[in-house]
Amino acid sequence: MSHALPESLAWSLLETMLLMRRFEEAVVRLAQEGHFKGHYHLYIGEEATGAAAIATLGERDHLATTHRNHGHVIARGADPGRALAEILGRANGLLGGRGGTLHLSDPALGFLATSAIVGGCISLSVGGGYACKQRGDGSLTMALFGDGALEEGVAFEALNIAALWKLPVVFLCENNSVNAWGSAKGGFPTLNHAAKDLCSIPQSVGIPAVRVDGADAAAVHDAVSEAAARCRTGGGPGFVEAITERWPGSNPLWPDPVTGVTDLRMATTDMALPQEHHNWFRHHDPVLRLARLLAAGGKDSADRIHAIDAQQQRRMAKAIDFALAGAMPAAEAALDHVFA
Amino acid sequence: MPPTTQSFAAALVDALHDALSADRMVSLIGSHVLGLGPQRHLMDRIRSDFPDRIVDPPTAEAGIAAAGIGAAMAGAHPFVDLGTAAFSFLAWTQMVNEAAVAHYMTGGAVNVPVTFHMLHGVRGGGAAQHSHSPQAMLWNAPGLEIVLPSTPADAYGLTLSALASRNPTVLLTHAKLLGIEGPMPSERKAIPFGKADIKRQGRDVTIVATSLMVQYALAAAATLAGEGIEAEVVDPRTLVPLDEATILASVERTGRLVVVDECPLRCGIASEIAATVAERGFRFLRAPIQRVARADTPIAFAQAQEEFVTPDAGKIAAAVRRLFG
Ligand SMILES: Cc1ncc(C[n+]2csc(CCOP(=O)(O)OP(=O)(O)O)c2C)c(N)n1
Ligand SMILES: [Mg+2]
């Protein structure tokens, strides 16, 4: 195998990434069937980044994420049934139906916040790092944010504070703006920054920063592990920019599953790839990419890939049943939890 | 011939188009004026007719608000679109502590003719961070004009006035109003600030409401009419300046007041209008004033919980019935 991941880690990342992918395929279907209201964002195309980065974390570490959070919550090990139920606003959801897709989170797993305010999580994570440093137990906080967050002024303030105080924060910038349409073409916003090199922003305040291919799980794992190790030994924050091609379905303002349901035979057999979105299937889909690397191991490997997928699909089928069977939360409970 | 009926969104776009045509110093900073819904394509006309006067800014609300304010101080008339009203919180210091105070602290020497636009309100599935109505908070920042159109005709006329104003103006559109259709006047012109509009006449009770709540109040009034209660619906249209006289005259006629507001109850618009009437029109009142406002909680994602804390036509009608109970 050409990748640098230990084999067992590669298989476990594939397992996580397949669950993330099948989860999002369920979310978009349920959205289009009208099971929940409001705007939502899918993590398809960024699975390798989230899975590999979160795999470097320990139990005591914290995370903060954004509107594009589903994959992060799943990768951290949240129950997919309760996560899906939250997106449907059900009482058995992770947050009792309070948060929905925009604020999906599993506080029990170390998520400090899922802020749908661009720039929100990058700044909150600095506070997470502050508390980790105070505890002095070698823990860290990981901020998972989009490239757009660097357009907000608060991002710069946060980076400066983290650098000045040498806080254990891993800033993971998921730059999904490659080949995105952007607002001008009627699509979802894309990067709008005068700095063509985003790493230069943290570097300007002395934070070590590296850029990696976000669809390459091994590259992400290496870069994040290095930044995390530095955090844990008092070396201060690190910044990783993970670049991914925008999944075509996330180009319009509302997600559209234009590449269909993922067919792993595209990785395990030499079946012809569809003409439409050919490059996505051939080069950019991170799930297919990792599956192809692993499938190079031969027929047993290919069988194992399909077996893992079948297992994750069964898990998702149960998760969907669990979520759809969930009761709606009581209306009057809206008045609860304003204060602790 | 302009259309005789129009959607709110189309009327807003017409006003922007007319203002851009009339004054070359008008420009748009921000292009998602109509949000992400189906009406958004109406903005294509502005993009194609004024490509050099509309810009897609970075996601930098503080920066674009400040740029708009500075440009206004220097003689431009920018229309700064801040998107969902919650995003304006990132621009709060620029709005309430730069734009709002500049004229005053220069002894009247500096004008700030900037318009801020935002989509406010409980919109359905917006959850805690995308459901805000900051107009009551803004009302506590002297120096800002606050404009809340409730119909397509008002959206057109008030937007023209906002862009012609010499003061910083906040124009708030409820996300749920964009798609509503309504009649347009045959002669299109600016609607002056500070002139309330009686949206429905009635002798028994005055309902004061703004923005989307006007539509809900009209629906409640239709229901109540079937029960023999004739409600008068008064829409102040601008909070700053506030047309106290029209509100007081209506309460004098009806003797009863219900105020409807999508802001949280405490220190909300309903509270301020109730206090004003209690202070200046106490002698007209034959029953206690009723406030129908949002509960003092954030908004939950779950639909039933969102609805539970948000005013609607049924809750308005119930509040009116309490006065006749
Ligand atoms: C303060 C603020 N401004 C604007 C928005 C609207 N908005 C939601 S997602 C988004 C784009 C964010 O881009 P990025 O951070 O790169 O995340 P991506 O969606 O690309 O993953 C914008 C502008 C917001 N949620 N918060
Ligand atoms: Mg992005």
Side-chain angles (χ1 to χ4, degrees), chain B residues 44-98:
Chain B
D44 294 349
R45 205 174 123 224
I46 306 257
R47 272 189 193 277
S48 61
D49 292 356
F50 302 98
D52 53 345
R53 283 199 274 152
I54 179 167
V55 55
D56 291 315
T59 310
E61 290 78 8
I64 63 171
I69 295 164
M73 289 168 165
H77 297 290
F79 180 96
V80 178
D81 185 69
L82 292 166
T84 299
F87 309 157
S88 73
F89 293 139
L90 281 78
W92 217 243
T93 191
Q94 288 75 17
M95 294 171 68
V96 308
N97 210 19
E98 301 286 1

Side-chain angles (χ1 to χ4, degrees), chain B residues 68-280:
Chain B
I69 295 164
M73 289 168 165
H77 297 290
F79 180 96
V80 178
D81 185 69
L82 292 166
T84 299
F87 309 157
S88 73
F89 293 139
L90 281 78
W92 217 243
T93 191
Q94 288 75 17
M95 294 171 68
V96 308
N97 210 19
E98 301 286 1
V101 301
H103 186 73
Y104 187 83
M105 71 185 186
T106 58
V110 169
N111 290 344
V112 191
V114 62
T115 301
F116 302 106
H117 177 256
M118 55 187 83
L119 293 175
H120 82 91
V122 178
R123 68 188 193 189
Q129 289 184 324
H130 283 69
S131 300
H132 291 276
S133 289
Q135 51 267 37
M137 296 184 207
L138 290 166
W139 205 357
N140 228 303
L144 297 175
E145 294 173 327
I146 303 174
V147 184
L148 288 156
S150 66
T151 64
D154 288 355
Y156 179 85
L158 294 170
T159 301
L160 279 192
S161 287
L163 282 162
S165 170
R166 296 192 299 164
N167 298 307
T169 303
V170 188
L171 176 65
L172 297 110
T173 295
H174 199 295
K176 284 188 174 171
L177 280 173
L178 289 169
I180 68 153
E181 297 276 332
M184 297 296 290
S186 51
E187 193 198 344
R188 296 195 166 205
K189 54 178 199 278
I191 295 173
F193 290 172
K195 279 191 69 115
D197 186 36
I198 297 182
K199 290 279 189 303
R200 182 189 197 279
Q201 292 191 326
R203 59 175 187 265
D204 298 322
V205 58
T206 298
I207 305 177
V208 175
T210 49
S211 191
L212 179 67
M213 297 302 115
V214 173
Q215 298 295 337
Y216 289 0
L218 290 168
T223 307
L224 291 163
E227 301 167 20
I229 299 173
E230 288 299 331
E232 179 145 300
V233 177
V234 178
D235 176 2
R237 300 200 287 201
T238 57
L239 296 178
V240 183
L242 180 67
D243 182 355
E244 292 183 22
T246 298
I247 295 169
L248 286 163
S250 175
V251 176
E252 183 171 13
R253 286 192 296 276
T254 64
R256 296 178 181 85
L257 175 64
V258 173
V259 200
V260 191
D261 180 14
E262 211 188 77
C263 300
L265 181 73
R266 297 292 176 201
C267 297
I269 293 169
S271 302
E272 178 56 32
I273 288 174
T276 301
V277 172
E279 201 168 72
R280 300 193 45 206

Side-chain angles (χ1 to χ4, degrees), chain A residues 39 41-42 46 66-68 116-119 145-152 174-177 188-191 246, chain B residues 59-61 82 84 86-87 90 130:
Chain A
H39 205 228
H41 311 82
L42 299 178
E46 302 175 41
T66 64
H67 59 285
R68 204 177 293 285
I117 295 304
V118 170
F145 54 94
D147 44 301
L150 293 175
E151 296 164 21
E152 292 284 4
E174 299 191 70
N175 184 345
N176 59 357
S177 283
F188 199 77
T190 187
L191 186 62
R246 179 74 55 109
Chain B
T59 310
E61 290 78 8
L82 292 166
T84 299
F87 309 157
L90 281 78
H130 283 69

Side-chain angles (χ1 to χ4, degrees), chain A residues 187-234:
Chain A
F188 199 77
T190 187
L191 186 62
N192 196 353
H193 210 296
K196 292 305 160 214
D197 172 6
L198 294 183
C199 287
S200 70
I201 299 169
Q203 281 162 350
S204 74
V205 292
I207 297 178
V210 291
R211 177 176 303 119
V212 297
D213 175 355
D216 179 345
V220 173
H221 196 266
D222 277 356
V224 175
S225 297
E226 194 183 321
R230 199 170 45 243
C231 280
R232 295 190 198 288
T233 51

